[in-house]
Amino acid sequence: MLRAVYVLSGLLYLPVGVLLMFLPTDWAAMLGVQPLWLPRVAGAVLSAWGVQLLFGAVGAERASRIGLALANLLVAATILPAALRATDAPVRLSLLILGGYVLILGLLAVGLRRPRRGLYD
């Protein structure tokens, strides 16, 4: 189950990061992002995080479950207040869905128990 959380998180962050890296200038102006390098750098960081999560899914037992949970919960804590302040209904709904998805993945990563291993495993 933990492997599924890693894969779902990676499949979320990778496309969002790529979208931000190649954000068209008219979309940036519509969102109010003034320096265009800011979403490009944020997109590169999110893309790298998504790739790391997808590779971490291969060895999910060894990967840091707490790091995944904290990162997802921090992203949710950033998205949800922005969604509540949004005035446009479709933007608000999409941000609430995205924030809820990341929040659920973060809580799943916290709540999942690691399988018990033997003394010498």
Side-chain angles (χ1 to χ4, degrees), residues 1-11 57 60 68 101 105 108 112:
M1 182 71 179
L2 185 61
R3 183 168 295 162
V5 173
Y6 271 84
V7 170
L8 289 174
S9 296
L11 290 177
L68 170 68
Y101 179 75
L105 287 175
L108 274 175
L112 291 176

Side-chain angles (χ1 to χ4, degrees), residues 94-106:
S94 63
L95 285 177
L96 282 174
I97 290 171
L98 181 65
Y101 179 75
V102 172
L103 180 67
I104 289 169
L105 287 175

Side-chain angles (χ1 to χ4, degrees), residues 31-50:
L31 294 174
V33 179
Q34 187 62 351
L36 199 55
W37 62 268
L38 188 63
R40 307 245 190 260
V41 170
V45 170
L46 284 177
S47 296
W49 177 244

Side-chain angles (χ1 to χ4, degrees), residues 3 5 10-12 18 32-33 49 52 59 63 67 78-79 81 87 89 93 96 98 101 107 113 116 118 120:
R3 183 168 295 162
V5 173
L11 290 177
L12 171 75
V18 170
V33 179
W49 177 244
Q52 188 270 337
T78 304
I79 290 174
T87 57
L93 180 63
L96 282 174
L98 181 65
Y101 179 75
L107 293 175
R113 301 182 83 199
R116 291 188 173 249
Y120 299 107

